[in-house]
Structures are given as structure tokens and as C-alpha cells.
Amino acid sequence: MERRTTDRPARRDRKVRQDAICANAFRQEARVHARARMGFLDEGDIAFLKARVLDLLGDYGVVVVHPRAREALLAAGAKTGHGTDRLRLPREMVAEAMAATPKFARLAGKRRALDLDLPRGDLGFVMRTGTGAHGYVDPRDTRYRNMDLDAVNDIAAVASTLDEVGFIAHPFVHGVPEKTADIHSFGRLIARTDKHVWMQPYQWQNIEYLMKIAAIAAGGETELRANPITSVITCSFTPLEFKFMDTQVIIEAGKYGVPLHACSLPSSGGTAPLSVPSMAIMAAAEIVGMTVMAHLLAPGIPVVATPLMFTLDMRTGSALQSCVESLQAASVSIQLLKQGFGMLAHTYGSGSDTPDVDHQSMAERAMLCQTVALAGADILGGVGQLECATVFSPVQAVLDNEVGAMTRRFIRKPAISEDALNWVEMMRIRAGGHFLDSDHTVRSCREQLVPEVFLRQGRDDYEKSGRRTAFDAAREAALAAIKAASEKGALSEDQLREIATLTAHADEHIVAAYAGAVEVI
């Protein structure tokens, strides 16, 4: 009988860990692991860019057209600048606002198990679906069509099953009155999922309707404040301007206790200088400016810095989100806002500039996801989006969920210790030996990441399957999710009736205010 070369217990005596479950958007690591971080900026670079942001705000300023916001800013110490409506924000004013703004946010689901607390204790991230898409690639036949409410049902069904997707954004929909498309889309989505829903208003008159729908879905305004099942985007108008509508979003967010995503969308070479650091400065200045306004107009509301970076293709005039320059700008802006200003940070972590779920799409979004996760982003957006955020594909969303799981594990720094090295056994391994029956292998193998739709098969099995690919597996998963979705949705009949009544009221009054009649697009 061959002598055992280590002091390992017999197999029947081994204790196997039962808690080796992978983390995802809703489940944090059982142990806090160090996270790998990689960015283009060192501490000196961050300090330099932060100083330029403060110079831009303090010495040149931003344009604010909302009367209430202007009054609040001037009363708090803002100075008039050159040009109509421009206000300069002194450094002391900015510092006070940044210090007072919460450094955490809670994005609640309809069930507590789906709540998201940011920043995460395990230093990881959450993902969200793409927003604003006008087009839809139907997984049933892979054909493209205009986004509609039926597509919103599909998005809710698929995204609700993706465990890397922490919250879902409502898209732009056709087939309803154009001026109230956001109300129709938001109302449909929030009724079809228990996950947190991201609100994106399109008209200033619509904001209160959207907030009231959120309150109905939450069970009342008091419950919405206690458990904010929605958060809302407020955008700058690059360069360095803030529209009336987006400022009104800040006011309404404060009224309803809804977290804000302060979003800047500079286009390098268009609304921002054609350089990566200039884009980051522009985005940070606009986001810090919105944070100052939030401090004055909605004190105590969490603000998530959301730089969404684009680069103009000077040959075609198209905006690109996944080119090399945009990837670098996303990384730099996340570092600047997170490390320089101490903010929660949110940017595209998925998406592609190609119109289809193809090889280019997978390469671009894998690079983007890894780049911004390593930079330290708390939220990675863009799951399922194609063609620079104008198209949504449920099949792509399933594939993105897989990339997100891989990235979450990839940025977890491997433990460096004698136990992690299995050093004792390594020093005793016999010639021609192996570690298949090692206790260390038995423990560690259960922590390996197992893919959901990516393939790990040999040629023979691949050929027997008819060359079934990861795309095929993702499509099957999307269709299964759509088929299994409950027709009842996530709300009661009374809540659905209230939302329908409110939406009809919006169609009557908002559309009439713009055009005098209800028309569909």
C-alpha cells in the first residue's frame, strides 16, 4: 500500500464548506477580499484635476436658469459671472456642499432582499440595464423594431432574472403620446419588477407624475421615503449649463426622498475639448455643480456621480461610448470623482458602438466592464445596450450578466498566504504526484466561478449540439425568462388602476399643453 505523503485526513473525515456561494448584485462576499484597482491617475494627477474642477466652478462658473435654484445659490454665496445666468461657485461653498452630501445611498427594491446599499461592504459593484433606447432587438426572431410597451415587459422579465443586475432603467417607448412616453414606460416597468427602477424624466411637467407613480408602487409617499424603490437621473446640459427640467428633478427628488444620479454626458471634440483629461474635468465640474444645487434644494439627498463619456468620431459625427478614448475617459472620471471628491460613482460598464450582438460587441463591452470596475465604480450601467445606448437586446443583457460575474471575480485580489498557496503540501509533493485529492483542492474548487451561458465544452460535444453557442444559450435564457414572467406583475390591481388613471390624466393635460391634442408616435 502506497504511503500517504501528507498529513491529510481520509476523505470521509473532510469538512466541505457549504457557504461557497458566489457574490452578485444582492449577495456580498462572505469575507471581505482586497480589490484590485487600476487607473490612469496617480495621487498627484487627481489633485491637479480636482484643482482645475474647482477653478472652473469658482472662476468661470455654470449657467443656471431655474429661478429658485439661482436664488438659493446666490443666497448661499454664489457670485455672478460673465454672461447671462452664469454663477460662480466659490471653493468654500463647494467644500461645504460636498462635506454635507451623504457618502452612501440605498436603492430599495420592493422586497428587502432586493435592496442595494452603496458603497458595498465587500468593495464590489452592482450593474443596471441600459436606458434611453429607442430600438429593440426581439429575442423571439432577432428582428429590430421600435421600442414599445411589450418590449418593456420583456426587459422587466429578463432583467428580473439576472443576478448581476441590481436595478432596471426604463427605455423610451413608441406607440404612446410622445410627450408622456416616460410616464408610460416608467409606469409599465415599475409594475413588472420587484427590483429597483431608475427614473428618467423627459419633460419638466412629467416629473411629479413620475414621482406619484413611484409612490403608488411603493405603497404611499411615506413608504417611498422610507424605502426609495426608484432613483432619478438629473443631467447637465454640457458645457456647464443646467436646464430648468433637470433642476426641477432635484427639487422633486428632495420632496419625495429619492436618490439622485447626477449625470454629465460630455462629447469629446463636441461639448468638451478633444482630450481625455478635459472630458473628465468637464464631467466632474458639472456633477459637482449639481451636487451643490442638491445640497441647497434637496438637503440630505444621496447623490451618485454619473459621468457618461462619449467621443465624437470626426469622420462620421457619431458619438462613441466604447472607443479607446471613451474607455480612458470613463476610468479617469471615476477616479477623479471617487478618489478626488469622495463620491459614489456610476458610469457605463457595458455597451458597444456596434448595432448587433456580435464579436465586436463582446470585445468592447468586456474591455469597458473591466476598465471601469478596476477604476472603482460602484454602479456599472449599460447592460443590454447596443449602438451607443440607442438599442436594447435581452440576449445581450444575458451575456452581459455573465461578463459582470466574471469581472466581479476578476477584480477580487487573490489571497497571498501559506494556506492559500497550499504551501505545506507543495513542499511534500512526490514525483509524478497531483493535488486532485488535496483538502485544499476540495475546498477551493467550490469557490470557482461557474458560467451560466458561456460554454466550456470539448469539440465532440460542441459538434453534437449542432454548434450551439453562448449566444444560443443566452437567447434560450431570455426566452425562458419572458415565458415564465407572471402576467400579474409586481403590483396589486388597485395600484395598477391608480397608475393607469394617473397616466391617462398626464396624457390629457401634458399633451394638450404642448400640442392641443393627443397624438401617438
Side-chain angles (χ1 to χ4, degrees):
M1 181 175 179
E2 185 179 30
R3 182 172 62 86
R4 293 175 63 84
T5 58
T6 71
D7 297 324
R8 295 194 298 264
R11 184 179 298 275
R12 63 178 178 274
D13 298 325
R14 293 175 183 163
K15 293 183 179 180
V16 177
R17 283 184 55 193
Q18 300 298 317
D19 62 345
I21 302 174
C22 291
N24 57 38
F26 307 102
R27 187 170 53 237
Q28 299 197 24
E29 299 276 5
R31 294 173 292 131
V32 177
H33 297 265
R35 297 287 168 178
R37 291 289 182 252
M38 189 285 287
F40 298 96
L41 306 181
D42 58 28
E43 291 184 2
D45 296 330
I46 293 171
F48 176 81
L49 294 179
K50 181 178 179 180
R52 288 294 182 268
V53 170
L54 297 175
D55 290 344
L56 193 57
L57 291 171
D59 299 338
Y60 182 62
V62 295
V63 172
V64 180
V65 298
H66 196 292
R68 180 173 166 185
R70 282 186 59 80
E71 291 173 8
L73 287 165
L74 288 168
K79 309 297 182 184
T80 55
H82 297 291
T84 305
D85 300 322
R86 190 169 298 279
L87 296 177
R88 293 178 289 119
L89 309 182
R91 288 156 183 77
E92 301 79 17
M93 182 181 179
V94 172
E96 177 185 325
M98 299 306 294
T101 300
K103 301 301 184 289
F104 58 87
R106 179 163 166 267
L107 309 183
K110 294 190 182 74
R111 293 183 282 114
R112 298 289 72 80
L114 299 178
D115 289 353
L116 305 169
D117 292 303
L118 301 173
R120 286 170 60 112
D122 65 359
L123 309 179
F125 57 80
V126 301
M127 303 184 82
R128 66 151 176 92
T129 57
T131 182
H134 288 240
Y136 182 67
V137 180
D138 196 317
R140 298 167 183 83
D141 55 14
T142 70
R143 292 187 179 182
Y144 172 89
R145 71 169 191 266
N146 286 336
M147 182 71 69
D148 54 27
L149 291 175
D150 287 340
V152 175
N153 291 345
D154 292 352
I155 292 170
V158 174
S160 293
T161 68
L162 302 179
D163 55 15
E164 296 296 333
V165 173
F167 61 103
I168 310 174
H170 71 89
F172 181 90
V173 291
H174 296 254
V176 299
E178 179 181 7
K179 300 299 182 183
T180 56
D182 51 349
I183 295 172
H184 285 268
S185 182
F186 181 77
R188 177 62 63 90
L189 180 60
I190 207 166
R192 303 290 297 186
T193 183
D194 281 335
K195 288 186 177 181
H196 185 89
V197 173
W198 194 24
M199 179 194 299
Q200 183 171 352
Y202 298 156
Q203 312 283 346
W204 75 265
Q205 295 94 334
N206 301 18
I207 301 166
E208 191 168 3
Y209 283 95
L210 291 164
M211 291 293 180
K212 288 184 180 297
I213 289 173
I216 292 169
E221 290 184 18
T222 300
E223 183 62 24
L224 178 61
R225 292 187 187 91
N227 296 294
I229 62 170
T230 189
S231 52
V232 62
I233 189 172
T234 178
C235 296
S236 53
F237 184 56
T238 310
L240 301 170
E241 298 181 27
F242 302 110
K243 303 190 300 296
F244 183 95
M245 183 197 79
D246 290 287
T247 309
Q248 190 65 30
V249 166
I250 296 173
I251 295 170
E252 292 293 327
K255 178 180 175 182
Y256 286 87
V258 169
L260 284 164
H261 301 257
C263 181
S264 172
L265 302 97
S267 294
S268 184
T271 56
L274 187 58
S275 80
V276 166
S278 292
M279 286 181 72
I281 291 172
M282 183 69 73
E286 292 177 346
I287 288 167
V288 170
M290 285 182 275
T291 305
V292 173
M293 287 197 291
H295 169 61
L296 298 174
L297 300 172
I301 286 295
V303 178
V304 182
T306 308
L308 302 181
M309 314 302 272
F310 300 92
T311 303
L312 286 185
D313 183 339
M314 292 303 172
R315 299 171 304 163
T316 65
S318 297
L320 305 173
Q321 71 153 96
S322 299
C323 63
V324 171
E325 294 81 7
S326 291
L327 265 64
Q328 286 188 324
S331 175
V332 169
S333 64
I334 291 297
Q335 279 193 277
L336 176 56
L337 287 158
K338 194 163 181 67
Q339 297 172 237
F341 288 95
M343 300 187 72
L344 291 169
H346 169 187
T347 190
Y348 287 142
S350 192
S352 174
D353 297 318
T354 182
D356 212 344
V357 186
D358 56 18
H359 303 86
Q360 176 186 332
S361 174
M362 294 307 300
E364 287 182 341
R365 62 207 319 121
M367 285 189 67
L368 179 56
C369 191
Q370 179 175 296
T371 297
V372 298
L374 285 169
D378 298 286
I379 300 172
L380 276 56
V383 167
Q385 70 186 32
L386 297 166
E387 202 172 343
C388 196
T390 62
V391 176
F392 189 92
S393 164
V395 176
Q396 183 66 74
V398 175
L399 293 167
D400 290 347
N401 192 71
E402 198 88 312
V403 174
M406 293 178 67
T407 303
R408 182 182 303 283
R409 181 60 63 87
F410 178 75
I411 66 172
R412 191 176 83 178
K413 183 179 177 180
I416 307 297
S417 66
E418 288 203 1
D419 181 64
L421 297 175
N422 198 9
W423 184 248
V424 172
E425 291 192 45
M426 191 182 296
M427 289 292 287
R428 296 178 179 178
I429 191 68
R430 66 182 183 274
H434 60 77
F435 294 91
L436 288 173
D437 64 347
S438 165
D439 281 345
H440 181 271
T441 300
V442 173
R443 291 195 311 270
S444 300
C445 72
R446 285 164 172 76
E447 295 186 353
Q448 289 181 309
L449 183 66
V450 179
E452 295 287 336
V453 296
F454 284 3
L455 306 184
R456 293 177 175 176
Q457 61 183 175
R459 170 61 60 175
D460 290 345
D461 289 336
Y462 177 61
E463 295 293 346
K464 287 178 183 177
S465 73
R467 299 191 176 186
R468 178 176 175 270
T469 66
F471 177 94
D472 298 317
R475 183 177 176 225
E476 290 165 8
L479 292 173
I482 292 169
K483 183 178 180 181
S486 170
E487 288 298 322
K488 295 174 63 176
L491 300 179
S492 70
E493 291 295 328
D494 287 343
Q495 288 171 309
L496 293 174
R497 278 193 293 270
E498 282 191 74
I499 291 174
T501 299
L502 198 60
T503 302
H505 186 275
D507 285 343
E508 179 181 354
H509 289 82
I510 293 175
V511 175
Y514 276 95
V518 176
E519 298 177 354
V520 297
I521 56 173

